[in-house]
Amino acid sequence: MGIEKMSRLTIEGSIDKLDSALMLCCESKIFQISEMGDTAMLRSMNEQNPYESAYTAICDIAASVKIKPQFTDFSKVTLQTGEEFSDYCDKTSEELAWIKKEYDDITASLEEHKRTDAYIKHLIGLNVSFHDLYNLKYTKVRIGRLPTENLQKLEYYDNKALLFVPFESSGDYTWGLYLAPKDNASFADTVMNSLFFERMKLPDYLVADAATSDEILEKVIEDEKALQAELQKKLDKYIESHKDEFLAVMSKLKYLSECFELRKKAFISEENFTLSGYCPTKQSKALCEKLDAIEGVSAVGVAVKSGTASADVPIRLKNNIIFRPFEMFVKMYGLPEYGTFDPTPYVAVTYMLLFGIMFGDVGQGLLISLFGLILSKLTKNGLAPIMTRIGLCSAAMGVVYGSVFGIETLIEPFFHREEIWKLLGYTERPENIFQVATMLLIAALAIGIVLITISMSFNTVLNFKKRKIGEALFSINGVCGLVFYISLVAGAAGMFMFGAELFTPAYVICLIVLPLVLIFFKHPLSDLISGKKHAEKISVGNFIIENFIELFEAALSFLSNTMSFLRVGGFILSHAGMMLVVAQLAGTNAPDAQISVTTIITYIIGNLFVMGVEGLLVGIQILRLEFYEIFNRFYSGNGQSFRPLEITFEQN
């Protein structure tokens, strides 16, 4: 578990073997190309991609015939040069052109006839031929539709030589025509435009009346649909017979085009190339052997050591099947730097534990786990496997709480064991969880103190490994911070819970004041240990102000971070309270309560509501605790993700 070890590969060879080397690296899917570093003596390749135009053309062809790009074995494709691929695209386009043109023409004609027939159907009842209407000697005719609400406004123009004849009202519009003397046509058009009349221009081939034209158009539409279907079959048959070959050519062209673009990351010295990148150490030897098998190419892999790793070393997390889904949360915050600490196992354990504590119920936990399992099978949702795991933890804690779908009479709860409560100082066994609310909140604070202490310990150890001695010793999350925090918590706990007075002068001076003073002087003390002078000069006044503010903020962060864990106890009580409301709504909290269909339905709906709403809130709150109260203590998340070369159509 942790961060996978990486090796830096250097690939060299004659320039005519560059494409072969790049294709092998892409096919391996384990090599991430990187910058060469000092390239003062090298030159980069900036040639024009000879496959670019051909690839654009083949993508256009695929889009025009609705072929979804997908990688296919192209080992049998003999095409090599950009010109050969362009010729293939031209030939394919020509073969498709006559079918496509005929199909597109009939489709356009069909759409026009459908649109025209839809207009004509609104004019059924017009027994005068359109030819006669449009060829009147003294009258102009306009056909279209008018908003129905504007019909009454036409009454103002009864004496203005304008006549509107309605035929059909459908929805908000009335279809019809208006007539006006030719001399008055301009005025009539202005009036009707002001009333939002939408004019419909009919094609010249309509010469009969509306009913006859409708019959003619329906026959034409029927014939064109049959012809369109026949052409579609012909087009589909052609595509199906050429699809495999087309996808193979497209795949090879994509590979060659992308590999050629990668040539720009290679550097040339005379007639040789040099490539550099990263590969998982476990697989680097096999990749080097495959590259060495290419005549004129050699590859050398050197394992990257943790202490000397540069910032560009990519990160690939490696965790077991239990912790792996929680890598998603780590990636959301940011990947760790190479050679440091992968917090995924820590996140997984704390997340599952906190969720179980805050949402403990056997029945609901098992349902969440089952739902996550089903979701994992049906989708690739990253939260699904996490739900499976936290659901099981919820069920486990439900056994402790004695809660099964909110019912605490099916199994004996933890707090019904009198011997345990006597150890905790209770004289009587509590009847419900609300009677121990104070203890729950104190326990939540204790959990927070433990997690914060562990996080600070991680930070201290990591800084010692990085040889940042000053940070490890004098930072707020280092040794001094640990001593201050643990001493303060221990003193407060001793005083309030056990009546022990730990805050003696020696205790306060040595374990609280002294660590704060050392934290205040962290920078000069760190410089003294490292033997380096601080690069930036600062006045005494500014030094005091800046460090005092930092120290004050750090002290507040201890308080706020610790108090944030009160929400753990709060959600335990919230869950119990919500299930109590469900029981009251279902009527099962009364001594003589009887089970009915209504009771069962209410319980089902109530449980689903609690699982959905509170489960989501608990999940979000725990993630907040992870990011703000835990990660901030030891984790930076400045690592770069491992992105191996892989040619895919997804970007298209």
Side-chain angles (χ1 to χ4, degrees):
M1 294 186 294
I3 301 171
E4 187 156 2
K5 292 183 178 180
M6 290 286 170
S7 291
R8 186 174 182 89
L9 268 62
T10 302
I11 306 169
E12 298 177 340
S14 58
I15 195 170
D16 60 324
K17 300 297 181 180
L18 175 56
D19 290 337
S20 300
L22 285 170
M23 288 188 70
L24 180 57
C25 290
C26 291
E27 290 170 1
S28 70
K29 298 181 182 180
I30 56 171
F31 178 76
Q32 176 177 318
I33 198 167
S34 65
E35 301 298 332
M36 287 291 296
D38 184 10
T39 58
M41 301 301 292
L42 302 174
R43 62 183 176 86
S44 177
M45 299 186 70
N46 291 303
E47 303 166 306
Q48 179 66 34
N49 190 336
Y51 306 103
E52 185 176 2
S53 60
Y55 183 67
T56 301
I58 204 167
C59 286
D60 291 340
I61 295 171
S64 68
V65 295
K66 298 180 181 178
I67 292 179
K68 184 179 180 180
Q70 59 185 43
F71 268 108
T72 305
D73 178 31
F74 53 81
S75 58
K76 295 182 180 180
V77 177
T78 58
L79 305 178
Q80 290 294 337
T81 66
E83 290 78 8
E84 290 176 339
F85 282 104
S86 295
D87 292 341
Y88 174 84
C89 292
D90 293 340
K91 179 184 176 183
T92 304
S93 296
E94 290 174 4
E95 291 175 351
L96 279 170
W98 65 273
I99 304 177
K100 279 287 293 175
K101 185 178 185 306
E102 198 172 351
Y103 177 83
D104 292 342
D105 289 346
I106 198 65
T107 300
S109 176
L110 178 60
E111 291 302 318
E112 180 192 348
H113 289 144
K114 282 182 178 180
R115 188 167 52 252
T116 303
D117 190 43
Y119 292 153
I120 297 299
K121 288 183 183 298
H122 292 292
L123 302 175
I124 299 296
L126 179 62
N127 297 323
V128 181
S129 70
F130 293 112
H131 178 269
D132 292 341
L133 277 176
Y134 285 123
N135 287 281
L136 293 174
K137 188 173 182 181
Y138 301 106
T139 306
K140 286 290 185 182
V141 178
R142 305 282 189 261
I143 298 174
R145 65 179 186 177
L146 180 73
T148 303
E149 61 183 14
N150 291 337
L151 279 175
Q152 292 183 346
K153 297 179 182 179
L154 286 172
E155 296 177 1
Y156 296 106
Y157 302 100
D158 283 346
N159 300 322
K160 301 294 184 180
L162 171 63
L163 176 63
F164 180 77
V165 182
F167 285 94
E168 178 185 299
S169 291
S170 58
D172 297 329
Y173 290 94
T174 297
W175 293 80
L177 57 83
Y178 69 87
L179 301 94
K182 283 189 175 182
D183 295 340
N184 206 35
S186 178
F187 170 77
D189 290 342
T190 302
V191 169
M192 295 305 288
N193 287 337
S194 69
L195 297 177
F196 301 102
F197 179 82
E198 296 179 19
R199 186 179 175 187
M200 178 181 65
K201 293 185 178 181
L202 298 176
D204 295 336
Y205 57 77
L206 291 178
V207 294
D209 58 25
T212 305
S213 296
D214 179 47
E215 292 177 3
I216 294 172
L217 284 172
E218 285 184 347
K219 181 64 171 65
V220 171
I221 290 170
E222 185 179 342
D223 293 341
E224 287 182 338
K225 282 182 177 179
L227 182 57
Q228 184 190 43
E230 183 180 341
L231 291 171
Q232 182 65 59
K233 287 181 181 178
K234 186 182 292 187
L235 182 61
D236 291 342
K237 184 178 180 181
Y238 177 86
I239 293 172
E240 189 63 31
S241 62
H242 292 76
K243 184 177 180 180
D244 293 341
E245 178 192 6
F246 182 84
L247 287 175
V249 173
M250 191 176 190
S251 299
K252 184 171 183 178
L253 184 53
K254 172 73 171 177
Y255 241 102
L256 291 173
S257 180
E258 291 292 324
C259 286
F260 195 92
E261 287 298 318
L262 290 173
R263 288 164 65 97
K264 296 177 182 178
K265 291 184 177 290
F267 292 89
I268 311 304
S269 176
E270 297 180 352
E271 294 301 317
N272 296 317
F273 74 88
T274 303
L275 281 173
S276 183
Y278 293 98
C279 171
T281 300
K282 287 184 177 180
Q283 299 163 296
S284 62
K285 183 178 179 182
L287 181 58
C288 287
E289 289 176 354
K290 291 180 180 179
L291 288 165
D292 289 339
I294 302 174
E295 186 179 354
V297 175
S298 64
V300 177
V302 179
V304 181
K305 295 181 180 180
S306 302
T308 60
S310 59
D312 70 330
V313 180
I315 305 300
R316 185 159 80 172
L317 302 180
K318 182 179 63 175
N319 289 283
N320 62 34
I321 192 171
I322 297 175
F323 299 152
R324 194 176 302 136
F326 293 91
E327 290 177 359
M328 180 178 72
F329 292 154
V330 175
K331 292 174 182 177
M332 286 171 61
Y333 192 90
L335 288 167
E337 296 177 358
Y338 187 80
T340 58
F341 168 66
D342 175 19
T344 302
Y346 185 46
V347 171
V349 172
T350 54
Y351 196 96
M352 289 188 290
L353 178 64
L354 290 173
F355 189 91
I357 293 172
M358 296 165 72
F359 196 83
D361 188 285
V362 176
Q364 293 175 359
L366 291 176
L367 271 184
I368 290 174
S369 186
L370 179 61
F371 183 69
L373 187 62
I374 295 172
L375 206 60
S376 297
K377 299 294 183 182
L378 299 179
T379 69
K380 295 182 179 179
N381 192 308
L383 287 174
I386 293 176
M387 291 173 62
T388 303
R389 288 153 179 77
I390 62 176
L392 292 175
C393 291
S394 175
M397 289 304 300
V399 174
V400 175
Y401 298 154
S403 177
V404 182
F405 292 116
I407 304 171
E408 297 182 356
T409 56
L410 298 179
I411 57 178
E412 186 178 9
F414 175 80
F415 57 80
H416 280 188
R417 305 179 190 277
E418 294 185 5
E419 63 275 11
I420 296 173
W421 292 107
K422 287 179 181 179
L423 290 174
L424 295 174
Y426 285 80
T427 57
E428 295 181 356
R429 185 186 74 181
E431 294 299 325
N432 58 63
I433 200 169
F434 299 104
Q435 293 180 358
V436 293
T438 302
M439 190 203 71
L440 281 176
L441 295 177
I442 293 173
L445 286 177
I447 291 172
I449 291 167
V450 170
L451 292 179
I452 290 173
T453 303
I454 292 173
S455 300
M456 293 170 68
S457 301
F458 281 152
N459 182 72
T460 303
V461 173
L462 289 172
N463 279 317
F464 273 124
K465 287 184 67 176
K466 295 177 184 177
R467 299 188 180 181
K468 295 181 178 180
I469 309 300
E471 284 289 326
L473 292 175
F474 307 119
S475 72
I476 195 67
N477 292 309
V479 173
C480 289
L482 267 171
V483 172
F484 168 76
Y485 182 63
I486 294 173
S487 302
L488 196 62
V489 169
M495 183 171 61
F496 291 112
M497 297 181 66
F498 305 105
E501 184 58 53
L502 296 179
F503 289 120
T504 62
Y507 185 94
V508 171
I509 292 173
C510 295
L511 299 179
I512 295 178
V513 175
L514 181 59
L516 288 177
V517 172
L518 293 175
I519 292 171
F520 186 85
F521 290 101
K522 180 186 75 171
H523 295 298
L525 290 173
S526 298
D527 293 341
L528 183 64
I529 290 175
S530 64
K532 298 178 181 178
K533 292 185 178 181
H534 199 61
E536 182 181 355
K537 292 184 178 180
I538 185 171
S539 65
V540 175
N542 287 340
F543 175 83
I544 294 173
I545 293 172
E546 288 181 9
N547 284 276
F548 176 78
I549 292 174
E550 288 181 10
L551 190 61
F552 183 72
E553 288 180 350
L556 282 180
S557 73
F558 278 128
L559 178 62
S560 62
N561 290 166
T562 305
M563 298 303 289
S564 286
F565 282 90
L566 285 172
R567 70 189 71 225
V568 176
F571 271 99
I572 297 174
L573 298 172
S574 172
H575 184 72
M578 292 184 74
M579 292 314 302
L580 181 61
V581 172
V582 173
Q584 288 177 338
L585 291 174
T588 58
N589 58 335
D592 57 345
Q594 295 182 350
I595 304 299
S596 64
V597 175
T598 304
T599 301
I600 295 172
I601 293 174
T602 304
Y603 246 103
I604 292 173
I605 295 174
N607 273 273
L608 291 175
F609 177 79
V610 171
M611 289 168 58
V613 175
E614 192 181 1
L616 178 63
L617 290 176
V618 168
I620 293 172
Q621 291 301 323
I622 298 172
L623 195 61
R624 183 199 175 281
L625 289 173
E626 296 282 355
F627 284 176
Y628 292 98
E629 275 66 53
I630 297 177
F631 273 16
N632 276 347
R633 294 287 171 187
F634 71 95
Y635 189 63
S636 61
N638 295 323
Q640 304 297 320
S641 177
F642 178 59
R643 293 186 175 88
L645 294 178
E646 182 178 3
I647 297 176
T648 174
F649 281 114
E650 289 180 3
Q651 60 191 11
N652 296 333

